[in-house]
């Protein structure tokens, strides 16, 4: 006599099928992330190989081939012929000063918007959100005229001020989203103990906000480090130029040293890559910091 077996939830056969479905989903996820990893790493690996080739190998069109002789001299040429250290110092100075100002201004603004009870808080937040929508290119001519009139054109200050203006809105948006999740009971206890507003901000809110601050730092660092349009518009002095200008040191009227350009690009991207990997955990925490209330 035949007996029908019903595959109800919880039976071994049903569990096996469920495991098979999960395994298939995992394969799809791993394949997706594998493709994503390849597409992200390939440009860096290609640039590294590019920087170790001769001009003849680069111009031959063999993009995927390894160099016959590794041209480590391209890096020496990039450092010596591209004024690498001078441009690195200028980029580092502008980036560090800008990031310090952004963190101070954005954290104070986000603290005021989220913790103070004043009727203009949402209006101020809306103004910062509108600031995120303004394209940088639309401000080049007005800023150039303003900087010329106040005589700061062709100085590092002409880069630092607009960088602060364009990076602060996104920083306020990230930090305010996180500060809203900080329990008010912590601040109330500090007020009972006699702490003032600035003491609460410096001793309680800022240490708790380290993850989103790290996220703000890396986003601002990448945008400022790689910025070229404003630097090319406002800076004409050779001693004040930033790192992206070093590429033009290897371009002359009759020849171009492509290998040295590739080496210079690798050296220019190296600080960004190192900082990202060193702060990767804090950056990830900062990106999801305000997502869950608690």
């Amino acid at each position: 006599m035949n007996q029908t077996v019903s595959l109800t939830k919880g039976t071994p056969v049903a569990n096996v099928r469920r495991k098979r479905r999960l395994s298939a989903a995992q394969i799809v996820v791993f394949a997706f992330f594998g493709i994503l990893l390849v597409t992200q790493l390939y440009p860096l690996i290609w640039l590294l190989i590019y920087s170790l080739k001769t001009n003849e190998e680069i111009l031959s069109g063999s993009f995927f081939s390894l160099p016959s002789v590794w041209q480590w001299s391209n890096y020496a040429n990039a450092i010596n012929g591209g004024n690498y250290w001078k441009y690195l110092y200028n980029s580092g100075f502008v980036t560090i000063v800008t990031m310090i100002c952004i963190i101070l201004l954005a954290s104070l603004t986000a603290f005021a918007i989220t913790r103070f009870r004043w009727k203009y808080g949402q209006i101020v937040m809306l103004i910062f959100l509108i600031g995120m929508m303004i394209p940088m290119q639309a401000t080049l001519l007005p800023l150039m005229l303003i900087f010329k009139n106040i005589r700061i054109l062709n100085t590092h200050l002409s880069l630092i001020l607009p960088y602060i203006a364009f990076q602060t809105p996104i920083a306020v948006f990230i930090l305010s989203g996180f500060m809203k999740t900080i329990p008010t009971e912590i601040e109330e206890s500090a007020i009972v103990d006699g702490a003032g507003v600035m003491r609460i901000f410096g001793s309680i809110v800022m240490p708790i906000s380290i993850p989103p601050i790290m996220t703000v730092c890396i986003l601002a660092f990448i945008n400022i480090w790689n910025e070229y349009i404003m630097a090319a518009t406002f800076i004409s002095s050779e001693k004040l130029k930033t790192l992206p200008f070093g590429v033009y040191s290897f371009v002359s009227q009759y020849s171009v040293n492509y290998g040295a350009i590739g080496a210079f690009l690798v050296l220019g991207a190296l600080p960004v890559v190192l900082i990202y990997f060193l702060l990767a955990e804090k950056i990830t925490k900062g990106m999801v910091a305000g997502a869950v209330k608690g």
Side-chain angles (χ1 to χ4, degrees):
M1 184 175 183
N2 295 330
Q3 295 181 351
T4 58
V5 179
S6 61
L7 299 180
T8 59
K9 185 176 180 181
T11 60
V13 178
N15 291 334
V16 169
R17 290 187 177 180
R18 190 181 301 113
K19 289 181 179 179
R20 288 178 179 174
R21 286 198 297 269
L22 291 176
S23 299
Q26 289 175 351
I27 291 173
V28 173
V29 170
F30 288 143
F32 172 76
F33 281 109
I35 295 172
L36 187 63
L37 179 64
V38 171
T39 56
Q40 295 298 316
L41 289 181
Y42 170 73
L44 295 176
I45 297 174
W46 178 86
L47 180 61
L48 182 61
I49 296 174
Y50 179 96
S51 67
L52 296 170
K53 290 183 176 182
T54 63
N55 274 5
E56 290 75 14
E57 291 175 325
I58 293 172
L59 295 175
S60 66
S62 55
F63 298 105
F64 301 100
S65 63
L66 295 176
S68 56
V69 178
W70 301 87
Q71 300 295 322
W72 297 105
S73 59
N74 288 337
Y75 285 87
N77 294 333
I79 293 174
N80 299 324
N83 296 321
Y84 177 75
W85 297 116
K86 180 170 66 176
Y87 293 151
L88 181 67
Y89 170 79
N90 291 335
S91 291
F93 174 78
V94 171
T95 303
I96 291 173
V97 173
T98 304
M99 287 173 59
I100 292 173
C101 295
I102 290 171
I103 292 170
L104 289 176
L105 292 174
S107 58
L108 286 170
T109 304
F111 181 70
I113 291 174
T114 57
R115 315 313 273 184
F116 292 173
R117 296 179 180 177
W118 53 308
K119 61 180 180 180
Y120 298 111
Q122 295 301 319
I123 297 176
V124 173
M125 187 64 192
L126 179 62
I127 293 173
F128 278 101
L129 294 177
I130 294 174
M132 295 170 57
M133 306 175 189
I134 300 175
M136 182 183 296
Q137 294 80 1
T139 64
L140 290 178
L141 182 58
L143 286 177
M144 188 172 184
L145 295 176
I146 293 172
F147 292 159
K148 183 179 180 180
N149 291 332
I150 63 178
R151 297 182 180 180
I152 64 170
L153 191 65
N154 198 30
T155 64
H156 282 154
L157 189 61
S158 64
L159 294 181
I160 292 173
L161 291 179
Y163 288 167
I164 293 173
F166 279 99
Q167 298 301 320
T168 299
I170 184 64
V172 172
F173 178 75
I174 293 173
L175 292 176
S176 61
F178 175 80
M179 289 183 184
K180 289 179 182 178
T181 66
I182 300 176
T184 56
E185 290 79 5
I186 300 176
E187 300 168 30
E188 293 171 356
S189 299
I191 293 174
V192 171
D193 293 336
V197 174
M198 296 308 298
R199 180 67 181 275
I200 293 173
F201 173 77
S203 301
I204 298 176
V205 175
M206 286 297 285
I208 296 175
S209 304
I210 291 298
I213 287 175
M214 290 295 102
T215 302
V216 170
C217 286
I218 192 63
L219 292 176
F221 182 87
I222 293 174
N223 291 330
I224 297 169
W225 192 264
N226 296 324
E227 202 281 322
Y228 175 78
I229 296 177
M230 283 194 169
T233 304
F234 302 146
I235 300 294
S236 59
S237 175
E238 186 68 26
K239 65 179 181 179
L240 297 176
K241 290 181 177 180
T242 52
L243 206 57
F245 287 92
V247 174
Y248 293 98
S249 302
F250 310 102
V251 180
S252 63
Q253 185 176 359
Y254 300 105
S255 63
V256 179
N257 190 342
Y258 294 104
I261 290 176
F264 194 92
L265 292 175
V266 171
L267 293 173
L270 191 60
V272 179
V273 175
L274 291 177
I275 289 176
Y276 181 82
F277 278 107
L278 290 175
L279 302 178
E281 183 178 357
K282 293 185 179 296
I283 295 167
T284 304
K285 291 180 180 179
M287 293 299 290
V288 300
V292 180
K293 178 89 174 175

